[in-house]
Amino acid sequence: AEVTIPIIVKDTTSFYWQIVLAGARKAGKDLGVNVPELGAQAETDVNGQISILENAVAGNPAAVVIAPTEAKALGKPIDEAAAKVKVIGIDSGADSKAFTSFLTTDNVQGGRVAADGLAAAIGAANGGKVEGKVALITALPGAGSLEQRAQGFKEQLKAKYPGLELIADKYADGQATTGLNIATDLITANPDLKGIFASNLIMAQGVGQAIAENKLAGKVGLIGFDSDEKLIKFLNDGVISGLVVQDPYRMGYDGIKTALAASKGEKVEANVDTGANLVTKANMKDPKIDALLNPKLK
Amino acid sequence: MSTEAIAAEKPKRNYNALFGLTLLALLVLLWVILSLSTSSFASANNISNLLRQGSMIAILAVGQTFVIITGGIDLSVGAVVGFATVIAAMLINAGIPVFLAILITLLVGVAIGLFHGFGIVKMGLPPFIITLATLTSLRGIGLLMTNGNSISINNDAFQEFSRNSFLGVPNLFWMVILVGIPAYIFLHHSRWGRYLFSVGSNAEASRLSGVNVQRTIYMAYTLSGLCAAFVGVLLASRIGIGNPTQAEGWELQAIASSVIGGTSLFGAVGSVHGPLLGAFILATINNGANLLNVNAFWQRIITGVLIIVIVYFDGLRRRGGK
Amino acid sequence: MSTEAIAAEKPKRNYNALFGLTLLALLVLLWVILSLSTSSFASANNISNLLRQGSMIAILAVGQTFVIITGGIDLSVGAVVGFATVIAAMLINAGIPVFLAILITLLVGVAIGLFHGFGIVKMGLPPFIITLATLTSLRGIGLLMTNGNSISINNDAFQEFSRNSFLGVPNLFWMVILVGIPAYIFLHHSRWGRYLFSVGSNAEASRLSGVNVQRTIYMAYTLSGLCAAFVGVLLASRIGIGNPTQAEGWELQAIASSVIGGTSLFGAVGSVHGPLLGAFILATINNGANLLNVNAFWQRIITGVLIIVIVYFDGLRRRGGK
Amino acid sequence: MTSTAQDLHPAPVLEPGRTILELRGLEKKYPGTHALKPVTLAFKSGEIHAIVGENGAGKSTLIKLLTGVMPRTSGDVIWEGKPAALATPHEAMALGINAVHQEVVLCRHLTVAANMFLGEENSRFGILQQRAMVKEAQKIIDDLGFDLPAHVVLGDLTIGQQQLIAAARATVRGTKFLIFDEPTAYLTRKEADQLFTLIRRLKSEGVTIIYISHRMEEVFELADRVSVLRDGTLVGTRNIAETNDAELVKLMINRSIEQVYHKEHFTPGAAIVETRNLSGKGFENVSMTVRAGEIVGLYGLIGAGRSEFVTTLYGRHRKSAGQMLWEGKPVQVNSEHDAIKLGMALAPESRRDQGLCLNLPVGLNLNLPIYKRISKNMLISGAQEKTQADRQIADLRIKTPTRHALASSLSGGNQQKIVIGKWLAHGAKLFIFDEPTVGVDVGTKAEIYRLFGALLSKGAGIILISSYLPEVYELADTLHVFRRGKLVATHGFRTADHEEILTQALAEKQEKLGGKI
Ligand SMILES: Nc1ncnc2c1ncn2[C@@H]1O[C@H](COP(=O)(O)OP(=O)(O)OP(=O)(O)O)[C@@H](O)[C@H]1O
Ligand SMILES: Nc1ncnc2c1ncn2[C@@H]1O[C@H](COP(=O)(O)OP(=O)(O)OP(=O)(O)O)[C@@H](O)[C@H]1O
Ligand SMILES: [Mg+2]
Ligand SMILES: [Mg+2]
């Protein structure tokens, strides 16, 4: 029979995870592995992901690839799963020593990269002066990776950019419209706002719209996280100053590849950093970056 | 118990107008407080923003109110909005003229509403259940169609619409007026509106009086679906993407707006201006909290508490006013 | 219209048992199909998983059913579950004995239920509104308490509980039995249960017959809050964290389970075994879809369609059986 | 020309006068109940045709078929010579068939005017002519002599007033054929007279009227012909001049009743309850005493405050002033629960809104007040639950297949028996019956009155509210007359005549009376 290696992502309804799945799918095709694509339907649905992991292990696969929604919560279930099959972690960590291999973007590092990008954008717009008010908009409370991005962002501001003052640290409800409304109101309340970090795809879409709507492109810097067609268009239009882009496609592809190797008993690297890159209008045409921005889906 | 509605008949009218005024007073009070406590609230720019922010929920709340007046509920509206953004985005990107794309999207909303009517009238399902099922399924269908992706709409004119203003008033708010005035005439001055109330009050009595109860129910859900699809078009224009997971939870916001606006969940009590005011009260709370940089978590708590307080006092007034 | 519940009266019992059997038959049918179509479904391991996965919604659905029988609705249960995980996590991490921490968490659930009762009985608010307000506020309060983070529970024994089994049956499922049996006796064989039905059917008539309507309503919401807090403890044990945003949308799943299990949203119709079966049918659909590698989006669509189909046929049977 | 169908149901032999509506083998089966066995009957244009029969005989069912509310199982309805499908109420109305249904079925949230024009609104260019409708409605109401405003919300009116509106609205719809299903159930004599005037006027305009009632004297006062239904079968049609009370009763219940108003006299015992200047919402300064073994009747017009008075006694509403004594001791009754604990029982006036859990089984309804007693250690005794319910069903001859049938599936009169029956097992010292015989047939009425006797013999006291003067007149040992919330006169058993009592209740001339205590 065919070898089965399920991949379990955090939220199947988000584009980012669809790219991870696309990478995994491609790997499955290339390597002749059956890859069930599983995942919760919201990043906050921890319990749902645990159930999915349990179900996946019950199917006696060769190995499991998982992106844990919550480090602590998934620790025990992953230990339990690892007792039966090899477990490969991608994207985010979990409190478990049972991972055979771990391919991740460091979200904290991603947050730091975002801070650097925002600082650069503000500098460029203000004749090199990196000072002024900035804001952070997080899509949802309670999602681990978003918290890590916020953490990295704030750490980096404090450490490297004392001139940038974080005046608002807002949570939305996962809706682009809410991100839009919050950004509009922040701009209204702080006409001298210099920059915003919108720490995931959907927030960047909403906040980008707010900046476009208020015709503030170039005046208020905006750094997003991840990319899709819409955000690339914003980047082209100058609405977005930069995007922190991970390599979800590679995470998916290499996750399956590593899992297959591990299941055969081959030795695999314990930790792989797939990197977080800052994409700006300047570097977006680089072949390497272009591949990140336009992953070969399907 | 509740002394009620049908604003248009005379002594009632005064009464309901008074309630409209109470709510309006609350809204104005909020505005005054916010104007005094923040420098930016009263700016023309912010007022525009506020009007834009409240518009979509306001339109949803009007559609929802029709349904609630008949004693039903429509939990699907948020999902319909998300689904409609997908339909509109796909059609526009397929090169279909915007006008036609909008029309087709609206027809999809109508079809969903008719399906709800069918489920309730012909299959005998409770409104809560059929609309809950649609909510679940519709997001699934939308996700299948987009594969979880957002569809970026490649038509700038379409997007411009929701950003622009006409006579200094944001286009989105004009849309509220465009929906609100016919809705007002329909609900308070047409026999169809009257039948919505009578069905909500006593469906059996209405049937015995020759009112076509089934058609009335179809109508209520169709209008709600239509309003939701229309909001979907507006949302697609505003955020420039089609994405089925958008507008999550908007059904609850629409219901809350409607109830804050004096609609009774037991049916037969409601108006058009009430839900509009309710939606803008909620929008003001959020806008003000953002301007005052209130913690997002506090915003939720405040919203919950205000819902209780407003509905409680509305109930008191209603009972006392008898 | 609806032919009635109250399993305990005799021919009713047969009848209801029959309905229980119809649902049970559906569940068994699903199981047989899944056993034949997947190699892994029928494994002991998977059955354990399935029982664990359905347990929490099942317990919520029982609490919800008490409320729905009185003609109300409790939209807050998901938020209460999330909030309870936070309370339990904080207490346990503060070094309070697990037993005491659980007790306090349950009391918080009771307090929330009492607050709902108060809002409905004393403030005259519609159940939909007061529980919607709690839903909104409670998540806000929980987020404030945790500052948006998850609280890691540093007590392994507590977490082991939900992972372990007793006599080969997962502890979580034992909890369903622990809740289900007293709930069954309470609803079908005690006068309090009868009062829930009578209040749901006609509160005024019950009151004039000497039933303490207010206390009955307090009781229903308190039990629902208690069940939700209990599920919160179980969830905290299962995921090992306290996080107020957990269990989002579980209220709708609980309501759907209850209705699939034959509870009428118009009140006065319902049982304990129905919602339990309903919850496990929904869990089976999800479990099976995962095993069959059905696209997650299709899962939503299937769930929505199945809700319609089951409730429709239940309605048919109910009317036909008259 | 013989077809099988006509062999089965030959067209009835017509008496002189055009036949407007004809029933041929009309039949209705509910699941489990054969409510109407094939009925063949012709109604003549311009006649008032009464239909009488026991509770559950099928009267309302017949009406529901004629008005398109329910589909018939078989048979034909011929309207003005042509078969009519009568599938929807709308169709019936289009033909000119209207009805005032048994329970008040109007929309309580809408105004009086909106209710009167419901389904037939005047509109111009799609816009309702609301002011015109209110004006027109007011004119119709005034014309009929009802003293009611057309612009108020219906729910603010009393049940009786709502009933009048229901009657009034049926007359404004181009009606050729009008059915009244127990229209006087909630009316006092004055309102009933207004209604009769209306009915006679309609008759003179050529409208055919079906009149259903359990009150024989109304039938004799109004009708030209009368048909009797028993157990769903038409057992006879008579010209009113050729029949009498006794014959109709015999036809209805298949036995004769010597005396409907069964009255036993007991020597009054100690006072059970006494009020001193009790005031509350809707009534003021009421002082009265109820002793063991006596029936205290409360008579008055609709809205006179009797229901408010007794519900306040019963703790449903707060008193605003005055004092209440229970067996000589002052008591505070703050809730129904307190009242029941003291030993009161109330059978409220509206069985639909206050009396029954309609979508629950008969058995549960009957046992509701006594679950505490038939529970042990928190659990209900199933055996007792059964015996208690079955006993009431047998004793009161409640017509139901089993105690598991839903209360809503019973006919109006049988529902009323449940409302009363639930208190019999509970037992009480003071029974308050608010309009207990509304919609109850003669046979059952007699049973209920006999039941009063039984309760009295056990030392209970009874407060009987009735808007039907003969009832209180014949039964009450003490008769209090209420007018506008005040107790205006008190009489002993048969010490005043109907006229006098009626004048006191009406009292068009201010405070001329009041002395007669
Ligand atoms: N919806 C229904 N389902 C089942 N049985 C019904 C239904 N409605 C009426 N019945 C039964 O049909 C029979 C006739 O009822 P109907 O209401 O016509 O009596 P009625 O003559 O009007 O009595 P009443 O004087 O008490 O109003 C009764 O036995 C009643 O229980
Ligand atoms: N819910 C209410 N709110 C305000 N007034 C009321 C209410 N119910 C009744 N009333 C008024 O109180 C007065 C007494 O009404 P009540 O029902 O006690 O009269 P009644 O003598 O029992 O008449 P009926 O024969 O109609 O039962 C009436 O004027 C009535 O309009
Ligand atoms: Mg009848
Ligand atoms: Mg009364």
Side-chain angles (χ1 to χ4, degrees):
Chain A
E2 213 179 17
V3 179
T4 297
I5 300 176
I7 179 165
I8 302 167
V9 298
K10 293 185 190 180
D11 175 6
T12 52
T13 69
S14 105
F15 185 53
Y16 176 82
W17 294 107
Q18 285 295 328
I19 300 174
V20 173
L21 293 178
R25 201 178 306 137
K26 182 70 169 44
K29 230 178 252 159
D30 292 353
L31 305 169
V33 177
N34 176 28
V35 181
E37 298 165 18
L38 306 172
Q41 307 214 353
E43 288 216 12
T44 48
D45 185 7
V46 178
N47 183 50
Q49 205 190 31
I50 294 177
S51 298
I52 289 166
L53 175 62
E54 286 170 355
N55 291 344
V57 174
N60 291 319
V64 173
V65 179
I66 184 168
T69 42
E70 221 287 336
K72 167 78 180 175
L74 267 292
K76 285 272 152 51
I78 286 173
D79 287 347
E80 212 166 82
K84 300 196 183 78
V85 297
K86 292 269 193 298
V87 179
I88 310 299
I90 55 170
D91 189 78
S92 310
D95 292 354
S96 167
K97 299 201 163 49
F99 287 116
T100 310
S101 173
F102 196 54
L103 299 84
T104 156
T105 326
D106 187 344
N107 273 305
V108 180
Q109 177 60 23
R112 291 195 194 106
V113 172
D116 292 340
L118 193 59
I122 292 171
N126 298 284
K129 270 200 290 183
V130 182
E131 348 175 301
K133 296 177 174 173
V134 296
L136 164 65
I137 299 180
T138 304
L140 279 174
S145 55
L146 299 184
E147 295 299 331
Q148 288 159 10
R149 287 171 201 173
Q151 181 199 337
F153 180 73
K154 288 189 234 173
E155 279 173 10
Q156 190 77 340
L157 283 190
K158 214 176 266 166
K160 274 182 72 181
Y161 308 104
L164 296 181
E165 182 198 359
L166 184 69
I167 51 115
D169 176 4
K170 307 288 277 185
Y171 284 96
D173 59 359
Q175 299 293 306
T177 319
T178 311
L180 199 171
N181 290 343
I182 291 175
T184 314
D185 291 340
L186 280 177
I187 292 165
T188 307
N190 308 283
D192 51 348
L193 190 73
K194 293 287 186 240
I196 301 176
F197 173 36
S199 68
N200 80 347
L201 193 77
I202 212 77
M203 281 305 111
Q205 287 175 343
V207 177
Q209 201 70 27
I211 290 180
E213 207 168 282
N214 287 284
K215 309 204 165 50
L216 288 171
K219 295 196 190 91
V220 175
L222 169 60
I223 301 295
F225 216 100
D226 301 333
S227 75
D228 76 348
E229 204 185 332
K230 174 90 189 167
L231 294 191
I232 293 168
K233 188 154 164 272
F234 275 148
L235 196 59
N236 265 320
D237 295 349
V239 170
I240 285 184
S241 335
L243 294 171
V244 180
V245 178
Q246 318 170 66
D247 195 349
Y249 190 83
R250 181 179 157 205
M251 250 183 253
Y253 193 97
D254 287 359
I256 297 294
K257 201 169 130 191
T258 313
L260 181 66
S263 74
K264 289 179 183 157
E266 291 168 22
K267 197 166 154 26
V268 293
E269 227 178 300
N271 282 297
V272 181
D273 184 358
T274 54
N277 304 285
L278 183 70
V279 179
T280 59
K281 204 171 173 179
N283 72 359
M284 66 190 291
K285 290 287 179 290
D286 287 8
K288 212 185 110 208
I289 299 291
D290 188 61
L292 288 178
L293 291 182
N294 299 296
K296 299 162 286 292
L297 287 181
K298 307 258 156 96
Chain B
M1 311 291 128
S2 50
T3 299
E4 233 333 74
I6 307 208
E9 303 218 7
K10 204 142 153 257
K12 282 294 115 176
R13 176 159 43 199
N14 298 344
Y15 186 39
N16 236 41
L18 204 69
F19 176 46
L21 284 183
T22 321
L23 266 191
L24 197 61
L26 177 65
L27 189 58
V28 170
L29 183 73
L30 282 175
W31 286 0
V32 169
I33 293 175
L34 286 171
S35 303
L36 295 178
S37 54
T38 73
S39 56
S40 40
F41 182 83
S43 67
N45 201 357
N46 188 58
I47 297 294
S48 283
N49 287 340
L50 179 59
L51 292 182
R52 275 197 211 124
Q53 290 167 11
S55 294
M56 292 194 245
I57 298 292
I59 296 173
L60 282 188
V62 169
Q64 185 73 250
T65 301
F66 293 147
V67 168
I68 298 180
I69 286 175
T70 69
I73 199 147
D74 188 350
L75 293 181
S76 75
V77 294
V80 174
V81 171
F83 188 66
T85 64
V86 174
I87 302 286
M90 284 191 157
L91 292 173
I92 291 174
N93 283 2
I96 291 172
V98 170
F99 171 75
L100 202 62
I102 293 176
L103 197 73
I104 296 175
T105 309
L106 295 183
L107 286 179
V108 169
V110 167
I112 294 168
L114 287 175
F115 174 69
H116 290 153
F118 179 82
I120 293 163
V121 163
K122 298 290 176 195
M123 300 175 73
L125 298 171
F128 196 98
I129 287 302
I130 177 91
T131 57
L132 174 61
T134 315
L135 154 69
T136 313
S137 295
L138 220 47
R139 294 226 189 261
I141 297 174
L143 284 165
L144 264 188
M145 288 168 64
T146 61
N147 200 19
N149 195 344
S150 298
I151 302 174
S152 180
I153 298 173
N154 53 25
N155 182 320
D156 287 343
F158 177 67
Q159 290 186 57
E160 280 308 311
F161 176 79
S162 67
R163 292 188 204 162
N164 289 344
S165 296
F166 176 64
L167 301 179
V169 174
N171 284 349
L172 282 180
F173 190 74
W174 281 114
M175 294 302 106
V176 176
I177 296 173
L178 184 76
V179 170
I181 290 178
Y184 182 86
I185 294 173
F186 171 81
L187 186 63
H188 297 293
H189 290 281
S190 86
R191 60 167 65 197
W192 307 111
R194 172 78 40 105
Y195 295 163
L196 290 177
F197 285 102
S198 80
V199 167
S201 175
N202 188 337
E204 183 63 12
S206 307
R207 196 168 81 91
L208 294 178
S209 304
V211 172
N212 192 327
V213 173
Q214 304 202 343
R215 194 161 60 196
T216 307
I217 288 174
Y218 270 111
M219 197 168 59
Y221 287 86
T222 305
L223 288 173
S224 177
L226 180 62
C227 283
F230 184 58
V231 170
V233 170
L234 297 181
L235 180 62
S237 161
R238 183 152 158 88
I239 61 177
I241 54 172
N243 184 323
T245 62
Q246 291 306 300
E248 204 164 276
W250 286 19
E251 56 280 357
L252 294 184
Q253 290 185 46
I255 295 168
S257 301
S258 189
V259 172
I260 287 178
T263 312
S264 159
L265 286 168
F266 302 112
V269 178
S271 67
V272 166
H273 46 281
L276 295 182
L277 287 171
F280 283 102
I281 286 175
L282 288 183
T284 302
I285 293 171
N286 284 324
N287 176 271
N290 284 336
L291 293 185
L292 290 169
N293 200 14
V294 173
N295 181 317
F297 307 150
W298 271 111
Q299 276 184 44
R300 297 195 190 208
I301 302 175
I302 293 171
T303 308
V305 172
L306 269 182
I307 290 176
I308 294 181
V309 170
I310 296 175
V311 177
Y312 172 65
F313 279 105
D314 176 35
L316 268 197
R317 185 195 52 75
R318 222 175 264 279
R319 285 188 289 270
K322 245 197 113 161
Chain C
M1 307 299 125
S2 52
T3 302
E4 238 324 86
I6 307 206
E9 301 215 11
K10 198 134 154 267
K12 281 293 119 181
R13 176 157 42 192
N14 299 344
Y15 184 40
N16 236 43
L18 204 70
F19 174 45
L21 283 183
T22 320
L23 267 191
L24 196 61
L26 178 66
L27 189 58
V28 170
L29 184 74
L30 281 175
W31 286 359
V32 169
I33 294 176
L34 285 170
S35 304
L36 296 178
S37 55
T38 73
S39 56
S40 40
F41 181 83
S43 66
N45 198 356
N46 187 59
I47 297 292
S48 283
N49 285 342
L50 180 60
L51 292 181
R52 266 195 224 144
Q53 289 160 17
S55 295
M56 291 195 243
I57 298 292
I59 295 173
L60 282 187
V62 169
Q64 185 72 250
T65 300
F66 292 146
V67 168
I68 298 180
I69 286 175
T70 68
I73 198 147
D74 189 349
L75 294 180
S76 75
V77 294
V80 174
V81 172
F83 188 66
T85 65
V86 173
I87 301 288
M90 284 189 158
L91 292 174
I92 291 174
N93 283 1
I96 291 171
V98 170
F99 170 78
L100 202 62
I102 294 176
L103 196 75
I104 295 173
T105 309
L106 295 182
L107 286 179
V108 169
V110 166
I112 294 168
L114 288 174
F115 174 68
H116 291 152
F118 180 81
I120 294 162
V121 163
K122 299 288 178 197
M123 299 174 74
L125 299 171
F128 195 99
I129 287 303
I130 176 93
T131 58
L132 174 62
T134 314
L135 154 70
T136 313
S137 295
L138 220 48
R139 294 226 189 262
I141 296 173
L143 285 166
L144 265 187
M145 287 168 63
T146 61
N147 202 17
N149 287 315
S150 300
I151 301 173
S152 228
I153 299 174
N154 51 25
N155 181 320
D156 286 344
F158 177 66
Q159 286 186 61
E160 281 309 311
F161 176 77
S162 66
R163 221 154 279 295
N164 290 344
S165 296
F166 176 65
L167 301 179
V169 173
N171 284 350
L172 282 180
F173 189 74
W174 281 115
M175 294 302 107
V176 175
I177 296 174
L178 184 76
V179 171
I181 291 179
Y184 182 86
I185 294 172
F186 172 80
L187 186 63
H188 298 294
H189 291 282
S190 85
R191 65 193 159 98
W192 306 109
R194 291 285 193 283
Y195 296 161
L196 289 177
F197 283 100
S198 79
V199 168
S201 177
N202 187 338
E204 181 67 15
S206 306
R207 171 179 195 151
L208 292 178
S209 302
V211 175
N212 192 328
V213 173
Q214 303 203 343
R215 195 160 58 193
T216 307
I217 289 176
Y218 270 112
M219 197 167 57
Y221 287 86
T222 304
L223 288 173
S224 178
L226 180 62
C227 284
F230 184 57
V231 171
V233 171
L234 297 180
L235 181 63
S237 160
R238 184 156 157 88
I239 64 179
I241 55 172
N243 182 323
T245 63
Q246 293 304 303
E248 204 163 278
W250 285 19
E251 57 280 355
L252 294 183
Q253 289 186 47
I255 294 168
S257 300
S258 187
V259 172
I260 287 178
T263 312
S264 159
L265 286 169
F266 302 112
V269 179
S271 68
V272 165
H273 46 283
L276 295 181
L277 287 171
F280 283 102
I281 287 176
L282 287 183
T284 303
I285 294 171
N286 284 326
N287 177 276
N290 284 338
L291 294 183
L292 288 169
N293 194 18
V294 173
N295 179 313
F297 307 151
W298 271 111
Q299 277 185 42
R300 292 197 189 205
I301 302 175
I302 294 171
T303 308
V305 171
L306 271 182
I307 290 177
I308 294 181
V309 170
I310 297 175
V311 177
Y312 172 64
F313 280 104
D314 175 37
L316 268 196
R317 184 197 52 76
R318 221 176 265 278
R319 284 187 290 269
K322 250 194 114 159
Chain D
M1 198 199 108
T2 47
S3 76
T4 24
Q6 275 184 331
D7 278 347
L8 277 174
H9 314 299
V13 184
L14 295 182
E15 283 165 61
R18 197 166 61 92
T19 293
I20 183 162
L21 179 81
E22 207 181 317
L23 318 177
R24 293 191 189 157
L26 194 63
E27 184 180 13
K28 176 71 191 177
K29 287 178 184 161
Y30 293 111
T33 313
H34 200 167
L36 204 60
K37 293 162 193 153
V39 167
T40 297
L41 182 62
F43 298 100
K44 286 182 288 188
S45 178
E47 75 168 332
I48 299 180
H49 195 120
I51 296 181
V52 296
E54 272 186 293
N55 292 129
K59 304 179 296 293
S60 299
T61 302
L62 178 66
I63 295 339
K64 285 180 187 158
L65 300 188
L66 286 183
T67 49
V69 174
M70 289 266 186
R72 55 185 179 252
T73 309
S74 70
D76 295 309
V77 176
I78 313 293
W79 173 256
E80 296 188 323
K82 287 190 273 302
L86 295 176
T88 63
H90 199 81
E91 188 191 336
M93 271 177 232
L95 293 175
I97 303 176
N98 272 297
V100 179
H101 290 274
Q102 181 165 12
E103 299 289 338
V104 184
V105 273
L106 296 175
C107 299
R108 48 192 312 282
H109 296 86
L110 303 193
T111 63
V112 168
N115 268 294
M116 289 183 66
F117 284 92
L118 188 60
E120 315 248 307
E121 288 82 359
N122 300 339
S123 52
R124 194 184 291 163
F125 312 118
I127 301 292
L128 291 175
Q129 302 297 104
Q130 316 206 55
R131 224 156 292 193
M133 283 193 285
V134 173
K135 228 159 126 191
E136 203 179 323
Q138 189 67 61
K139 190 165 160 286
I140 294 162
I141 294 172
D142 293 347
D143 249 23
L144 296 175
F146 303 161
D147 177 24
L148 292 169
H151 61 78
V152 301
V153 172
L154 189 84
D156 287 351
L157 304 183
T158 64
I159 301 177
Q161 289 169 326
Q162 293 181 25
Q163 184 81 46
L164 285 182
I165 298 302
R169 83 199 270 267
T171 66
V172 298
R173 296 172 171 244
T175 300
K176 290 188 205 160
F177 195 94
L178 184 52
I179 304 161
F180 291 94
D181 195 351
E182 296 184 37
T184 51
Y186 294 99
L187 304 189
T188 45
R189 189 63 216 180
K190 182 189 164 207
E191 283 84 9
D193 282 339
Q194 289 177 336
L195 185 72
F196 293 169
T197 315
L198 169 66
I199 291 176
R200 290 200 186 91
R201 198 169 87 191
L202 290 169
K203 174 188 155 89
S204 72
E205 289 162 7
V207 177
T208 310
I209 284 154
I210 295 186
Y211 188 86
I212 297 175
S213 179
H214 289 296
R215 296 180 183 169
M216 286 305 149
E217 72 282 1
E218 290 177 355
V219 170
F220 284 97
E221 190 176 334
L222 273 179
D224 301 311
R225 293 197 298 161
V226 53
S227 292
V228 183
L229 283 176
R230 189 201 312 145
D231 271 341
T233 312
L234 179 66
V235 291
T237 300
R238 301 280 186 277
N239 283 323
I240 207 73
E242 295 158 14
T243 186
N244 59 40
D245 212 288
E247 188 195 20
L248 289 184
V249 171
K250 183 109 200 300
L251 278 174
M252 274 162 62
I253 61 177
N254 214 5
R255 67 191 150 92
S256 48
I257 294 184
E258 288 107 61
Q259 186 200 11
V260 175
Y261 297 109
H262 173 90
K263 171 76 189 153
E264 294 175 49
H265 291 274
F266 298 92
T267 2
I272 295 174
V273 74
E274 193 183 340
T275 64
R276 289 187 187 152
N277 301 322
L278 201 67
S279 299
K281 198 168 151 201
F283 67 95
E284 55 187 45
N285 264 330
V286 175
S287 304
M288 66 166 67
T289 307
V290 183
R291 276 174 282 268
E294 83 169 336
I295 297 181
V296 173
L298 306 185
Y299 180 72
L301 297 187
I302 294 176
R306 297 159 301 163
S307 298
E308 300 282 328
F309 169 67
V310 293
T311 47
T312 305
L313 268 190
Y314 195 64
R316 180 67 184 86
H317 300 290
R318 285 293 169 94
K319 66 170 197 230
S320 58
Q323 208 185 10
M324 180 176 158
L325 284 80
W326 182 264
E327 295 180 329
K329 288 188 256 328
V331 282
Q332 284 295 332
V333 178
N334 294 320
S335 69
E336 309 79 12
H337 197 73
D338 288 354
I340 293 167
K341 231 157 107 192
L342 280 177
M344 287 192 227
L346 170 72
E349 64 180 332
S350 165
R351 56 180 170 250
R352 209 169 247 272
D353 296 337
Q354 307 169 301
L356 289 174
C357 295
L358 281 170
N359 63 345
L360 290 176
V362 172
L364 192 151
N365 274 290
L366 284 170
N367 285 326
L368 198 52
I370 58 165
Y371 272 120
K372 202 169 198 165
R373 189 182 319 151
I374 60 174
S375 303
K376 206 188 266 172
N377 304 329
M378 303 285 293
L379 295 188
I380 294 169
S381 148
Q384 282 208 51
E385 192 174 26
K386 175 178 159 36
T387 43
Q388 291 290 356
D390 285 346
R391 206 181 78 206
Q392 298 309 331
I393 290 171
D395 284 1
L396 292 174
R397 282 180 241 176
I398 297 173
K399 206 170 156 193
T400 173
T402 70
R403 69 195 161 88
H404 305 292
L406 302 189
S408 58
S409 71
L410 268 55
S411 77
N414 282 301
Q415 291 179 359
Q416 184 65 38
K417 291 188 200 170
I418 304 177
V419 176
I420 296 175
K422 73 162 100 170
W423 290 112
L424 298 183
H426 184 270
K429 290 195 186 114
L430 177 69
F431 287 85
I432 304 169
F433 294 105
D434 195 350
E435 312 279 7
T437 58
V438 161
V440 169
D441 67 40
V442 226
T444 313
K445 258 185 206 166
E447 284 169 36
I448 290 175
Y449 300 147
R450 224 179 306 272
L451 201 83
F452 288 177
L455 292 174
L456 295 177
S457 74
K458 287 184 204 146
I462 291 176
I463 297 179
L464 170 66
I465 298 182
S466 180
S467 303
Y468 186 48
L469 186 51
E471 182 172 80
V472 260
Y473 188 81
E474 297 295 337
L475 289 172
D477 296 295
T478 312
L479 176 60
H480 297 294
V481 182
F482 273 61
R483 187 178 69 236
R484 294 193 186 173
K486 294 202 177 82
L487 200 169
V488 292
T490 301
H491 307 280
F493 180 66
R494 286 191 180 167
T495 52
D497 60 15
H498 281 213
E499 270 316 301
E500 184 182 354
I501 296 171
L502 211 57
T503 337
Q504 287 166 342
L506 287 168
E508 240 71 72
K509 288 177 213 107
Q510 294 282 313
E511 309 307 340
K512 181 187 84 182
L513 328 124
K516 213 170 167 183
I517 297 188

